């Protein structure tokens, strides 16, 4: 019996999902809002969802970011920019025959169960089709999240999602809010043209060097850190390496973290601190017109504020009961399987804490295909509940209780979970009578 699957989104997650499904002979339709392949990696994407700015590069090394059987071209940069990543994704889609299965200009307005384990996908033009399963690969960076004081600031305000180039900020006093990848990229980008640039770090941060001993820092950590090491030991290794290159975080106005946090690095940001092009401030206490007061009691006046305060997961085509988030808590088994609705899957609903997002999407897409085709049996409700509780306990233990970490994914822990699930599923497939008991 033929199987028909809908994939939502033609970015990195949707492409590998479609590729694995097509490779198993599954009839696959990819619905893409815009007119091109690449999702968030397309600068000026007409789907309206891409946050790509002109200086955007991969934060993880190309060789560990690429799909596992399709590397980036040899001789390319260690950290490709958005243009190279877009070219790579387009080449991947062509190589594995995904492109002919993409319906461009197709906005999905509703995904709804229609009984007997089937799903109906409705588009903005009113057309609809039924499928045996739906894979949501549309990403989680489409709806910007804003701070509560947004309307109190009367100067120029924008979210990092709307930032593109530094030139509009020439000669201005600019505050960048946040210490994630986008925040540090933008701060380093604009500080060479601004009158003054400040970055506000509400939480402690370890600004690790991008390169060490002539190679990416991730390679050095891969040699020094071992899976059996407790987190305090690994943290000490990272702090020591950072201090050798950048000194203490406190000397630049930051606070060194003592709990586990999302790693931050940039190839030139700390050099701009040395040249006094940028300064650090703690979190924001209040805002009145163009004056910002920080939690240390100091105040500064700014012409512009750029907030890099993250995103809300926006899945408007799913009814509330189908959405995988309960507040900031992700309710999916191994980030992929909906616990209550069979045939609804998610790929790419995470932020990897070290490592490459695209590579992890590839692992998820392969598992989804095995579930869709029946190569592996689906997890039972008991396994789903145990797995979800285990992951939430891990997040509570290792990461701050903040919205930023709702989608955090530790690659070592996650791959152990996946491997355990594969072993369970293979055992259930090979011993169906024992599984039934």
């Amino acid at each position: 019996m033929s199987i028909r699957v809908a994939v939502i989104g033609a970015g990195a997650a949707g492409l590998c999902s479609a590729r694995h499904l097509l490779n198993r002979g599954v009839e696959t339709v990819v619905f893409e809002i815009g007119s091109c392949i690449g999702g968030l990696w397309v600068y000026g994407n007409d789907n309206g969802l891409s946050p790509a700015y002109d200086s955007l590069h991969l934060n993880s090394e190309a060789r560990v970011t690429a799909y596992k059987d399709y590397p980036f071209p040899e001789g390319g940069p260690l950290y490709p920019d958005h243009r190279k990543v877009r070219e790579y994704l387009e080449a991947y889609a062509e190589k594995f025959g995904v492109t002919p299965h993409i319906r461009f200009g197709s906005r999905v307005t509703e995904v709804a169960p229609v009984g007997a384990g089937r799903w109906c996908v409705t588009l903005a033009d009113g057309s609809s089709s039924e499928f045996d399963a739906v894979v949501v690969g549309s990403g989680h960076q489409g709806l910007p999240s804003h701070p509560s004081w947004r309307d109190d600031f009367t100067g120029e305000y924008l979210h990092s999602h709307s930032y593109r180039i530094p030139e509009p900020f020439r000669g201005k006093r600019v505050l960048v809010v946040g210490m994630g990848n986008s925040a540090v990229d933008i701060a380093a980008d604009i500080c060479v043209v601004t009158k003054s640039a400040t970055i506000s770090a509400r939480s402690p941060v370890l600004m690790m060097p991008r390169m060490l001993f002539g190679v990416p820092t991730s390679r050095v950590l891969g040699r020094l850190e071992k899976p059996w090491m407790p987190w305090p030991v690994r943290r000490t290794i990272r702090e020591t390496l950072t201090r050798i290159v950048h000194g203490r975080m406190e000397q630049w106005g930051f606070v060194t973290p003592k709990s586990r946090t999302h790693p931050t690095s940039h190839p030139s940001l700390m050099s701009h601190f040395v040249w006094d092009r940028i300064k650090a401030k703690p979190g924001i206490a209040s805002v009145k017109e163009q004056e910002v007061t920080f939690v240390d009691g100091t105040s500064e006046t700014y012409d512009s504020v750029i907030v890099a305060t993250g995103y809300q997961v926006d899945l408007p085509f799913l009814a509330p009961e189908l959405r995988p988030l309960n507040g900031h808590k992700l309710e999916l088994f191994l980030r992929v399987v909906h616990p209550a609705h069979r045939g609804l899957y998610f790929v790419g609903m995470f932020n990897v804490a070290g490592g490459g997002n695209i590579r992890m999407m590839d692992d998820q897409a392969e598992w989804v295909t095995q579930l869709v085709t029946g190569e592996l049996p689906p997890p039972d409700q008991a396994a789903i509940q145990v797995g979800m509780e285990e992951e939430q306990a891990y997040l509570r233990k290792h990461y701050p209780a903040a919205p930023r970490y709702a989608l955090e994914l530790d690659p070592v822990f996650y791959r152990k979970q996946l491997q355990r699930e594969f072993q369970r599923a293979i055992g259930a497939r090979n011993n169906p009578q024992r599984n039934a008991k």
Side-chain angles (χ1 to χ4, degrees):
M1 184 174 63
S2 63
I3 302 172
R4 193 164 188 251
V5 177
V7 176
I8 302 176
L15 293 177
C16 64
S17 298
R19 175 270 167 102
H20 286 289
L21 290 164
L22 290 167
N23 190 51
R24 298 292 211 288
V26 176
E27 182 183 352
T28 306
V29 180
V30 181
F31 296 104
E32 166 57 39
I33 300 176
S35 62
C36 55
I37 288 169
L40 68 84
W41 290 103
V42 177
Y43 182 77
N45 196 328
D46 61 4
N47 68 8
L49 300 175
S50 173
Y53 35 90
D54 192 48
S55 62
L56 177 65
H57 286 68
L58 280 176
N59 286 301
S60 52
E61 187 184 357
R63 71 173 190 171
V64 300
T65 302
Y67 298 120
K68 58 187 174 184
D69 61 352
Y70 191 75
F72 276 86
E74 290 187 13
L78 290 171
Y79 299 95
D81 67 8
H82 59 85
R83 299 169 186 84
K84 294 290 186 183
V85 178
R86 176 182 180 177
E87 292 172 2
Y88 168 79
L89 294 174
E90 290 173 338
Y92 176 86
E94 287 294 327
K95 167 75 173 178
F96 295 107
V98 176
T99 306
H101 298 270
I102 303 174
R103 295 186 185 178
F104 295 103
S106 298
R107 180 183 292 273
V108 175
T109 57
E110 184 180 41
V111 172
V114 290
R118 290 178 63 79
W119 295 85
C120 181
V121 175
T122 302
L123 304 182
D125 64 7
S127 63
S128 62
S129 302
E130 288 193 16
F131 296 88
D132 297 290
V134 174
V135 180
V136 178
S138 54
H140 53 83
Q141 293 184 318
L143 184 63
S145 180
H146 297 275
S148 59
W149 47 261
R150 172 186 181 179
D151 294 332
D152 298 327
F153 185 74
T154 57
E156 180 185 24
Y157 172 96
L158 76 157
H159 192 278
S160 59
H161 188 271
S162 301
Y163 173 82
R164 295 295 178 265
I165 57 176
E167 191 58 34
F169 302 95
R170 181 172 293 277
K172 296 181 179 180
R173 299 164 296 179
V174 182
L175 173 66
V176 178
V177 180
M179 280 301 299
N181 294 325
S182 295
V184 297
D185 278 353
I186 293 170
D189 217 13
I190 66 170
C191 71
V192 296
V193 302
T194 56
K195 180 178 180 180
S196 69
T198 305
I199 191 164
S200 170
R202 179 179 61 180
S203 303
V205 61
L206 189 67
M207 179 58 64
M208 297 198 68
R210 182 63 58 85
M211 301 286 292
L212 275 172
F213 312 119
V215 299
T217 300
S218 58
R219 295 192 202 177
V220 178
L221 292 177
R223 294 265 187 168
L224 297 176
E225 296 182 358
K226 306 301 178 184
W228 51 262
M229 285 183 175
W231 170 246
V233 174
R234 296 167 66 186
R235 183 184 68 210
T236 299
I237 291 173
R238 298 182 183 197
E239 285 183 12
T240 302
L241 293 175
T242 300
R243 184 173 292 192
I244 291 171
V245 179
H246 292 154
R248 296 176 66 252
M249 291 293 97
E250 284 71 14
Q251 77 186 76
W252 306 111
F254 298 116
V255 175
T256 302
K258 295 305 177 185
S259 61
R260 196 163 187 163
T261 59
H262 191 89
T264 303
S265 69
H266 193 273
S268 66
L269 182 71
M270 298 310 294
S271 296
H272 293 304
F273 273 90
V274 173
W275 293 326
D276 204 31
R277 289 173 173 168
I278 188 169
K279 296 183 182 297
K281 284 287 188 180
I284 294 172
S286 64
V287 174
K288 183 178 181 182
E289 297 181 344
Q290 290 181 243
E291 184 179 67
V292 177
T293 300
F294 300 94
V295 294
D296 63 358
T298 62
S299 298
E300 299 285 347
T301 299
Y302 298 99
D303 302 302
S304 306
V305 168
I306 304 172
V307 301
T309 45
Y311 295 84
Q312 300 177 41
V313 176
D314 185 34
L315 302 170
F317 47 82
L318 293 179
E321 64 271 17
L322 299 177
R323 295 173 189 171
L325 274 177
N326 180 8
H328 296 295
K329 179 182 177 183
L330 187 66
E331 296 186 334
L332 291 174
F333 177 60
L334 298 188
R335 309 294 181 100
V336 170
V337 177
H338 197 290
H341 296 274
R342 186 169 179 176
L344 181 59
Y345 304 102
F346 298 80
V347 171
M349 199 66 68
F350 56 77
N351 289 314
V352 172
N357 285 342
I358 292 176
R359 178 69 59 84
M360 196 66 72
M361 293 172 187
D362 208 16
D363 292 342
Q364 291 184 331
E366 189 169 18
W367 181 36
V368 167
T369 299
Q370 293 170 327
L371 293 173
V372 167
T373 59
E375 183 178 340
L376 291 178
D380 57 30
Q381 283 302 123
I384 288 175
Q385 192 62 35
V386 169
M388 290 172 58
E389 290 176 355
E390 182 181 52
E391 181 172 56
Q392 288 301 315
Y394 185 88
L395 289 173
R396 288 193 299 269
K397 179 179 179 180
H398 292 90
Y399 295 103
R404 179 188 179 193
Y405 294 94
L407 300 181
E408 200 76 1
L409 183 148
D410 181 282
V412 175
F413 174 74
Y414 184 70
R415 285 200 166 96
K416 285 181 180 178
Q417 285 187 305
L418 274 183
Q419 185 59 37
R420 187 176 64 188
E421 172 55 23
F422 288 156
Q423 293 172 349
R424 183 212 63 80
I426 291 171
R429 181 189 63 191
N430 296 338
N431 299 280
Q433 292 183 341
R434 181 193 300 177
N435 189 55
K437 293 178 182 179

